[in-house]
Amino acid sequence: MDWNSIDGCQIMERRFLLLFGSQTGQSQAVAEEIFEKALEHGFQPDLHNINETEKKFNIEKETLLVLVISSTGDGEPPDTALKFWRRIRKKTLGSDYLGNLRYTILGLGDSNYSNFCQNPKNFDLRFQQLGAQHFYSMGFADDAIGLEIVVEPWIDGLLSALTSQFSEKSENCSLDHAISDKNQQTDLKPQIDETDNVKDDNKQDNVANAITTVDLAIVSTEKELGDIKVVEKTIEVSSLVKSIPPIEGQIVVPALPHSFLEVHYSEDESIDLDSLCIQNGAALPSATTDIVMANIVNVSTLTRQDAVKTALEIQLEITESEMTFEPGDSFGIVCENSRDEVEELILKLSVTNVADSVCYLKLKEETRKKNAAIPPFLPTRTTIRHLLVTCCDIRTPIKKGFIRMLAEYTPNTLEKARLQELCSRQGSSQYTHFIREPNLSLLDILKAFPSCCPPIERILEHLPRLLPRPYSISSSPLVSRKHLNFVFNIVEIPSGSGRQYSRKGVCTGWLSSSQIDCNNKPKIPIYGRKNLSFHLPSDLSIPMILIGAGTGLAPFIGFMQHREAQVKHDQDLLCGPIWLFFGCRHNERDYLYRSELERFHEVGILSNISVSFSRDNSTSARYVQDNILLHSDSVCKLLLEKNAVIYVCGDARNMSKDVNNTIVTIISQHQGIAMEEAKSVTMKLRQEGRYLEDIWT
Ligand code: FAD
């Protein structure tokens, strides 16, 4: 253990290991936030990607660990954590292998999925089995309601817990005094949050209180009607640009993030943008292939014009040597932002004259940001337009540090004050209500606060990477190895609730835009994705229960095409029954692939189809789970006596949890066992790979 001398006092080096295991970059971003705050508080975090195990750290030699890790799919570790996970799961490790380790975990997950934060819980259990102990309670942040609701108070509590950890070993140290002395300086308004976090209150309590509120105020205005004075009382409501009544007292705003990027323009040079590496080598989530260019050969609309959502099916032409697939696989689309939205951003940021010039990104030599690096998804020789169209996510609701930076470049005092409120600790519920929940983009904020005009360098420091979007394949390679179909709903996001303009989803908007004109055989960048389980059973006699809503039908169409082709090839094949439970809104408007499904039923590929219509009053079954209940006896027999496999696919927001609960209920009723026991049976089905989910939000 290293010991340093600070202010004449011997203290133990305030080092701890800070690891992140990230699938989409969120855990990394949170770990980096912890890193910055810990440094500001005099700690020495040793920050690493968890996949650097053995190269940069050895867990058995560590004494203090903070792990930020996400849960993917059905509670699996992110790809980057697999190596570490395999290492600590070795059966040969003793129960004191991590006996010297004190640790805490911040788990990131999404409660729309059945096993919320299962992966962080698995890590926790394994650490405990190996003798490690908590020094601070775990946090579970939920993307479904906003990660920051848990992340921010958890980090505050972590800093206190770290302080206690080191003070236990190094009493009367002057550094802690120095920090807590600084905490007393609270007279400034707004107060900068550099030192504020080392208070001893348990910020976890804030989580329970993190409800969003809309403030109201009754405003009296005097009006003259002839000789009479009338007092008109109106109710004013808080909005994005105004808090009513104003947040009282001092507010605590985050420290201004250190700048670290420079942009240099070279107006005489030209650049071939097509040759720029797509995604610039940043890791593609769950990729099994490189990016390949696929021709769009057909686009068809699957829904009627009056359907609530428009579903499109696209057929792509791929080269077999570059990409192969199985039914049930998904693939990633490397999409672009809307060019019109980028044009508006360019105008708002006053960079029109340089937007298409060649530019070089460099690190600021004098930056105060620790470990500053150019984000790997940004090419260093490029154009501003290219960065905004293909590399940066310009839609993600902007984070508080970003707002803090914007406030710095907002000359109008009222606008500046409001931006400061929105990123302040006191304005936390307003941030959630006015920015995160309505999904406000950078352009929304720039439009709502017109005097705000930051330099493009500062913007690029804050924008996250534009992530590819995954889609389930809805065709079988036995029908065509050169063609891959997929189906999606166009995401329509209206203006309102602070959104200054209506928009479509980034990828579905791009796919449905005029830029994708089939006659020109446009090409889009795609890549294959890993899928370990959502496949057809290798034994064809095993029955399948397929449950899907909306575009969740996609992989099942691929399954049925595949089965049909297998049977055509060998008519003696012994095939188990396939039951389909499908849900949509209206029988007449959005019953996807209706004729195909009816045909599969007629030719015997599908044994049973049950379709529920959530918005047609005429049917008794509104949701897929209602039909499962109606057929509970058959479903239980298939499942418990014939070893059927359940496949659930579609938007996870409600369906997958409801289906899970229904399966538990019918097992409980059918077997005459308690719900708890039925839950264990269902969990066992999952563990045995007989309850598979491919769900998204
Ligand atoms: P985005 O730009 O990402 O916008 C979506 C966001 O907009 C969401 O956060 C949502 O909260 C927000 N939003 C939507 N409506 C509103 C509103 N009214 N107000 C405010 N905010 C709103 N999708 C399919 O359609 N078909 C598939 O086969 C399919 N397969 C998938 C397979 C996997 C493994 C996964 C993970 C996802 C799959 N998806 C599928 C989802 C798909 O990847 C995209 O997320 C989806 O198409 C939306 O992408 P987008 O870029 O158009 O929308």
Side-chain angles (χ1 to χ4, degrees):
M1 194 61 68
D2 290 321
W3 291 78
N4 290 343
S5 175
I6 296 182
D7 289 350
C9 170
Q10 277 260 299
I11 61 153
M12 192 172 60
E13 187 186 308
R14 292 158 67 93
R15 176 190 170 278
F16 66 93
L17 181 65
L18 174 56
L19 297 180
F20 61 85
S22 214
Q23 187 77 14
T24 60
Q26 276 183 322
S27 299
Q28 179 171 359
V30 172
E32 283 170 359
E33 191 181 336
I34 294 175
F35 177 84
E36 292 284 334
K37 288 192 170 166
L39 280 181
E40 284 161 9
H41 285 74
F43 299 109
Q44 293 169 17
D46 195 5
L47 175 67
H48 297 292
N49 189 326
I50 197 165
N51 68 7
E52 303 270 33
T53 172
E54 257 83 49
K55 288 187 213 141
K56 297 277 168 68
F57 65 91
N58 288 90
I59 193 64
E60 66 278 14
K61 294 187 185 148
E62 296 292 335
T63 53
L64 199 56
L65 166 71
V66 177
L67 171 63
V68 185
I69 193 157
S70 56
S71 212
T72 65
D74 202 11
E76 285 118 39
D79 295 342
T80 52
L82 284 172
K83 187 172 159 201
F84 182 87
W85 180 233
R86 279 196 293 267
R87 188 174 182 284
I88 61 165
R89 276 186 72 192
K90 279 190 194 140
K91 292 209 170 91
T92 48
L93 302 181
S95 60
D96 61 347
Y97 180 68
L98 298 180
N100 290 330
L101 183 69
R102 306 202 81 195
Y103 73 101
T104 185
I105 301 178
L106 175 61
L108 309 187
D110 186 328
S111 62
N112 286 306
Y113 294 81
S114 326
N115 291 326
F116 173 59
C117 272
Q118 190 56 46
N119 176 52
K121 289 175 195 163
N122 292 344
F123 269 78
D124 182 49
L125 182 66
R126 190 59 188 146
F127 282 152
Q128 299 276 333
Q129 288 168 344
L130 297 176
Q133 284 176 34
H134 287 157
F135 74 93
Y136 173 53
S137 52
M138 283 178 73
F140 299 104
D142 185 356
D143 207 15
I145 55 166
L147 292 174
E148 69 285 350
I149 291 175
V150 166
V151 169
E152 291 183 6
W154 189 87
I155 295 179
D156 290 349
L158 171 71
L159 294 166
S160 304
L162 284 169
T163 304
S164 315
Q165 272 300 298
F166 289 107
S167 340
E168 261 177 33
K169 293 169 185 155
S170 170
E171 300 228 348
N172 303 324
C173 167
S174 59
L175 183 63
D176 282 337
H177 289 159
I179 290 170
S180 55
D181 284 347
K182 277 172 107 186
N183 276 339
Q184 308 307 316
Q185 301 166 7
T186 52
D187 292 335
L188 293 172
K189 183 186 188 292
Q191 183 190 338
I192 305 301
D193 193 16
E194 279 169 343
T195 55
D196 160 84
N197 293 326
V198 194
K199 288 173 195 157
D200 231 344
D201 48 355
N202 186 353
K203 294 283 170 42
Q204 291 280 6
D205 291 346
N206 288 2
V207 178
N209 298 329
I211 44 168
T212 46
T213 51
V214 184
D215 300 315
L216 303 171
I218 300 194
V219 179
S220 307
T221 342
E222 276 194 3
K223 278 192 174 169
E224 288 187 8
L225 276 181
D227 295 341
I228 313 166
K229 274 197 178 157
V230 181
V231 178
E232 248 184 26
K233 294 205 170 185
T234 46
I235 294 179
E236 284 200 24
V237 185
S238 283
S239 70
L240 172 66
V241 291
K242 205 169 179 187
S243 70
I244 295 172
I247 293 174
E248 279 187 9
Q250 63 172 19
I251 54 167
V252 180
V253 299
L256 181 65
H258 298 306
S259 57
F260 63 95
L261 272 184
E262 282 176 0
V263 179
H264 298 272
Y265 298 96
S266 173
E267 282 165 32
D268 310 331
E269 281 182 56
S270 61
I271 188 165
D272 173 14
L273 290 174
D274 289 339
S275 70
L276 280 184
C277 191
I278 300 165
Q279 290 282 308
N280 197 42
L284 295 160
S286 306
T288 51
T289 68
D290 290 335
I291 292 175
V292 298
M293 298 305 290
N295 281 325
I296 295 188
V297 288
N298 192 34
V299 181
S300 40
T301 307
L302 303 183
T303 42
R304 231 170 58 172
Q305 238 178 359
D306 53 357
V308 177
K309 289 184 180 174
T310 305
L312 298 184
E313 182 190 59
I314 290 190
Q315 183 169 58
L316 300 176
E317 190 177 48
I318 53 171
T319 310
E320 212 187 318
S321 58
E322 291 176 332
M323 192 173 151
T324 55
F325 66 95
E326 277 183 63
D329 279 347
S330 59
F331 70 105
I333 298 185
V334 182
C335 53
E336 287 188 358
N337 286 311
S338 146
R339 286 181 181 259
D340 292 344
E341 197 170 328
V342 167
E343 184 57 36
E344 277 207 70
L345 259 183
I346 284 172
L347 271 173
K348 276 257 151 226
L349 295 168
S350 301
V351 284
T352 308
N353 55 341
V354 286
D356 297 297
S357 304
V358 174
C359 68
Y360 290 86
L361 300 193
K362 294 201 169 132
L363 270 186
K364 251 174 128 172
E365 272 179 21
E366 72 285 13
T367 180
R368 290 174 57 208
K369 183 177 161 69
K370 300 277 186 324
N371 290 0
I374 298 177
F377 56 89
L378 299 180
T380 46
R381 181 174 182 272
T382 176
T383 68
I384 296 296
R385 191 183 304 277
H386 179 258
L387 289 173
L388 294 176
V389 169
T390 62
C391 308
C392 299
D393 183 344
I394 58 171
R395 282 281 183 81
T396 295
I398 65 174
K399 299 241 161 61
K400 290 185 181 172
F402 198 163
I403 301 178
R404 172 71 183 86
M405 181 280 287
L406 292 181
E408 210 59 17
Y409 296 95
T410 306
N412 179 299
T413 41
L414 287 179
E415 290 179 14
K416 183 183 180 104
R418 181 58 176 151
L419 285 171
Q420 285 176 333
E421 275 179 353
L422 284 167
C423 67
S424 71
R425 179 166 298 164
Q426 290 75 4
S428 201
S429 63
Q430 300 215 5
Y431 167 81
T432 305
H433 186 76
F434 291 119
I435 294 187
R436 209 197 64 74
E437 284 179 352
N439 269 324
L440 297 201
S441 67
L442 170 63
L443 186 57
D444 288 319
I445 300 291
L446 293 178
K447 285 183 173 215
F449 297 88
S451 80
C452 175
C453 188
I456 186 70
E457 291 85 339
R458 301 291 81 77
I459 295 288
L460 295 174
E461 285 164 358
H462 286 272
L463 288 176
R465 170 185 174 194
L466 177 58
L467 282 170
R469 307 299 203 253
Y471 291 91
S472 307
I473 298 174
S474 63
S475 56
S476 158
L478 293 186
V479 175
S480 169
R481 290 182 193 284
K482 273 176 36 189
H483 293 102
L484 171 165
N485 294 8
F486 67 105
V487 51
F488 60 94
N489 284 324
I490 303 173
V491 175
E492 300 278 357
I493 308 175
S495 57
S497 306
R499 290 186 299 274
Q500 312 285 311
Y501 58 105
S502 66
R503 67 207 69 173
K504 290 186 165 59
V506 172
C507 186
T508 56
W510 178 61
L511 289 171
S512 62
S513 70
S514 53
Q515 289 151 44
I516 305 291
D517 169 8
C518 252
N519 298 327
N520 300 329
K521 276 218 165 184
K523 285 179 190 283
I524 57 167
I526 64 167
Y527 64 92
R529 289 182 89 244
K530 212 172 2 223
N531 162 16
L532 300 177
S533 56
F534 206 80
H535 287 138
L536 287 162
S538 48
D539 177 353
L540 272 64
S541 68
I542 291 179
M544 295 193 286
I545 301 168
L546 314 178
I547 305 166
T551 54
L553 186 61
F556 303 150
I557 297 294
F559 282 3
M560 286 180 262
Q561 283 187 359
H562 205 74
R563 176 63 60 88
E564 188 174 36
Q566 285 172 318
V567 173
K568 260 191 199 155
H569 183 71
D570 179 356
Q571 295 185 349
D572 295 332
L573 276 179
L574 182 65
C575 296
I578 304 181
W579 279 54
L580 173 70
F581 294 96
F582 172 57
C584 55
R585 288 186 177 81
H586 295 284
N587 191 349
E588 299 300 331
R589 302 183 204 172
D590 59 355
Y591 184 167
L592 308 181
Y593 295 106
R594 180 187 196 134
S595 51
E596 281 88 337
L597 292 176
E598 285 169 356
R599 193 183 62 75
F600 283 133
H601 192 222
E602 268 164 35
V603 298
I605 296 295
L606 253 182
S607 320
N608 190 292
I609 316 180
S610 301
V611 188
S612 45
F613 305 102
S614 61
R615 308 245 176 120
D616 281 346
N617 295 329
S618 52
T619 54
S620 54
R622 286 186 68 195
Y623 301 107
V624 282
Q625 59 271 23
D626 299 334
N627 265 328
I628 297 173
L629 274 175
L630 287 175
H631 293 89
S632 61
D633 208 38
S634 310
V635 171
C636 282
K637 280 189 181 139
L638 285 173
L639 198 56
L640 303 171
E641 292 166 26
K642 307 273 181 212
N643 285 329
V645 183
I646 295 186
Y647 296 81
V648 184
C649 184
D651 189 326
R653 208 149 284 150
N654 303 308
M655 184 198 62
S656 74
K657 269 198 246 169
D658 292 340
V659 167
N660 183 76
N661 295 342
T662 307
I663 297 292
V664 171
T665 307
I666 64 171
I667 290 179
S668 156
Q669 287 166 356
H670 186 264
Q671 301 290 84
I673 54 177
M675 287 294 275
E676 278 309 306
E677 210 179 321
K679 273 187 198 162
S680 310
V681 175
T682 312
M683 186 49 80
K684 195 150 170 272
L685 290 174
R686 285 179 184 274
Q687 284 158 357
E688 289 170 354
R690 289 181 47 215
Y691 191 129
L692 303 168
E693 287 181 330
D694 186 9
I695 49 182
W696 57 83
T697 52

